[in-house]
Amino acid sequence: MSIEIKAPSFPESVADGTIATWHKQPGEACKRDDLIVDIETDKVVMEVVAPADGSLSEIMSAEGSTVMSNEVIARFTAGAGEKLPEAQDAPSADADQLDVSGPAVRKLLHENNLDATKVTGTGKGGRLLKEDVLNYLKNPETVTSVPVPVPVPVPGATPTPAAPAPVVNETVAPSSGPQHRTSRRVPMTRLRSTIAKRLVSAQNEAAMLTTYNEVDMSPIMALRSQYKAQFEKAHNGTRLGFMSFFVKASAEALKRYPAVNASLDGNDMVYHAYQDVSVAVSTERGLVVPVLRDVEAMTLADIEKGIVQLAKQAKDGKLTLAEMQGGTFTITNGGIFGSLLSTPILNPPQTAILGMHKIQDRPVAENGQVVIRPMMYLALSYDHRMIDGKEAVQFLVTIKELLQDPARILLEI
């Protein structure tokens, strides 16, 4: 029985999608609910699965093509699929591995003159994915051309010069400098393109300012060190990190300064009676900001579990649109990458974003003496159309005071 495979029904805020990766090829057997294709939209990657046991009979939309909501993208034959030859079950040669890879992977390998056997596949059955090749190319030391066999000289024979290996996107420098300098041109993903547009829009439309402060992390580090083992045991392996303290401190500060928790809707200022905190997560596809709902009612353990779950979903491309929309305030942590100080950009329509940074031992004056303390710079970017400078500074000072005396977070004072 032939079945039409259609693109998912996109929400009103999503106009169309792009075929990212076909995980099954025509004739390849698959079981019900096996992943067939990933479709990338402006906000999330949506998965289409097999409707029954069987196999794909035809792919109608190639990787990289744009599809509309409910558009037919393939045809599926229910019933036993065509079994792959045994030789393909354990590919041992470059050709075998290419046979179970999508056209986008084969094109990428060819353009960069790569040997497929040197790239580790993370797909089902060791299948090469486009992300595997891109990750391989990120390390310049591993990007090598397919080796060219060196001919063995035969006595009496006239030496024949070996044909040069094909070079793609390569420019030859003058003889006095490097002989091979290459460049790669990779199309911007839909998610990356959307991020770029939103960031530029935020800078062009908002009256964005940033205020800075610093916090002594000694009290939280001491508290965490004292109770982390008990915390982990009491909460089924959930680890006590720093992020939960910042989320709780932000929730308390947002109650005191409602304008920081508000959003702009045209000429209307919308004040929210709840705190939904967006937490920035970096993924291979770009930065996403899933939302923790009602953080004012969550415990530290609830927050830690929520962050771990959202981060895992983000890295696996499993976030839904509902999990990424509706935040009232954003926290981003550049410190995990080593950033000492930065200016975070607003996440519209929100009016403020808190930037965390690297914890670094620094000399500070304390009671007339110079001491070494683990310090972190904090940055609050805000929309001056909605928030006055006084409120922004006081909000950031409140977070600092709560973090330097963690008991106040629990007592809400």
Side-chain angles (χ1 to χ4, degrees):
M1 180 178 67
S2 179
I3 303 173
E4 292 183 338
I5 302 295
K6 298 182 179 181
S9 297
F10 301 140
E12 291 183 4
S13 60
V14 177
D16 50 36
T18 300
I19 300 293
T21 306
W22 281 103
H23 295 282
K24 298 291 183 181
Q25 296 301 313
E28 185 176 352
C30 56
K31 296 182 179 180
R32 182 185 181 91
D33 295 331
D34 276 356
L35 176 61
I36 293 179
V37 62
D38 289 331
I39 298 180
E40 187 178 71
T41 70
D42 293 345
K43 298 178 180 178
V44 295
V45 175
M46 308 180 81
E47 297 180 343
V48 178
V49 299
D53 293 349
S55 64
L56 276 181
S57 54
E58 180 185 5
I59 291 177
M60 303 170 67
S61 298
E63 292 182 357
S65 60
T66 300
V67 295
M68 307 302 292
S69 183
N70 293 316
E71 179 180 334
V72 178
I73 58 175
R75 298 190 185 279
F76 186 89
T77 302
E82 180 182 327
K83 187 177 180 182
L84 293 174
E86 292 184 2
Q88 290 185 343
D89 291 340
S92 56
D94 188 13
D96 292 331
Q97 193 158 4
L98 285 176
D99 285 343
V100 294
S101 300
V105 174
R106 292 195 291 271
K107 180 181 178 183
L108 202 55
L109 289 169
H110 175 72
E111 288 179 347
N112 292 278
N113 200 24
L114 294 179
D115 183 352
T117 59
K118 296 189 178 185
V119 183
T120 302
T122 60
K124 188 174 182 180
R127 173 187 171 86
L128 275 185
L129 304 179
K130 186 176 180 181
E131 290 78 6
D132 299 328
V133 182
L134 292 176
N135 290 337
Y136 181 83
L137 289 170
K138 285 181 180 179
N139 185 351
E141 295 181 359
T142 65
V143 181
T144 57
S145 300
V146 179
V148 179
V150 179
V152 179
V154 179
T158 303
T160 303
V167 177
V168 179
N169 292 334
E170 182 173 282
T171 57
V172 180
S175 58
S176 59
Q179 294 301 307
H180 297 286
R181 300 191 303 165
T182 62
S183 300
R184 285 192 305 118
R185 185 183 296 272
V186 180
M188 186 178 289
T189 64
R190 293 176 65 92
L191 180 59
R192 173 61 62 187
S193 177
T194 301
I195 291 171
K197 291 176 183 176
R198 286 175 61 86
L199 294 180
V200 171
S201 174
Q203 289 183 307
N204 289 340
E205 295 178 9
M208 194 177 78
L209 282 79
T210 305
T211 183
Y212 302 93
N213 214 314
E214 61 180 355
V215 58
D216 181 356
M217 295 293 291
S218 300
I220 286 181
M221 293 176 73
L223 186 67
R224 181 171 176 266
S225 177
Q226 183 178 353
Y227 294 108
K228 65 180 180 181
Q230 293 172 255
F231 184 92
E232 189 170 343
K233 183 178 180 181
H235 298 288
N236 300 317
T238 300
R239 296 183 178 181
L240 180 61
F242 295 120
M243 198 67 175
S244 55
F245 289 98
F246 280 85
V247 172
K248 286 298 287 184
S250 296
E252 180 59 31
L254 290 170
K255 294 177 188 176
R256 305 180 191 183
Y257 300 96
V260 184
N261 193 50
S263 58
L264 283 171
D265 184 10
N267 291 324
D268 296 331
M269 298 185 294
V270 183
Y271 292 88
H272 307 289
Y274 52 87
Q275 287 82 43
D276 288 352
V277 176
S278 304
V279 180
V281 178
S282 179
T283 71
E284 289 292 332
R285 293 184 173 93
L287 189 72
V288 294
V289 279
V291 182
L292 286 170
R293 310 286 178 185
D294 300 314
V295 294
E296 72 279 2
M298 299 175 73
T299 65
L300 294 177
D302 292 335
I303 294 172
E304 292 291 351
K305 291 175 185 176
I307 291 173
V308 170
Q309 179 62 29
L310 290 174
K312 184 178 185 304
Q313 288 179 251
K315 293 184 186 301
D316 293 341
K318 307 289 187 183
L319 286 173
T320 65
L321 286 174
E323 289 169 324
M324 297 176 63
Q325 294 177 332
T328 62
F329 181 74
T330 296
I331 299 178
T332 180
N333 185 6
I336 59 176
F337 304 111
S339 172
L340 188 61
L341 187 63
S342 65
T343 302
I345 299 178
L346 295 176
N347 179 22
Q350 298 172 19
T351 55
I353 178 172
L354 176 68
M356 300 166 55
H357 298 90
K358 179 183 177 182
I359 300 173
Q360 188 175 60
D361 285 343
R362 291 202 299 272
V364 296
E366 189 175 286
N367 298 324
Q369 294 184 330
V370 176
V371 294
I372 304 298
R373 291 284 183 263
M375 305 297 292
M376 177 193 288
Y377 287 120
L378 300 179
L380 181 76
S381 292
Y382 60 98
D383 192 339
H384 210 338
R385 296 176 299 171
M386 184 80 179
I387 304 169
D388 291 333
K390 176 184 176 182
E391 285 180 297
V393 171
Q394 289 177 330
F395 175 87
L396 197 56
V397 169
T398 298
I399 289 181
K400 172 181 178 175
E401 292 173 347
L402 291 170
L403 293 172
Q404 292 186 161
D405 189 1
R408 297 179 60 179
I409 297 177
L410 301 177
L411 298 174
E412 298 182 350
I413 58 175

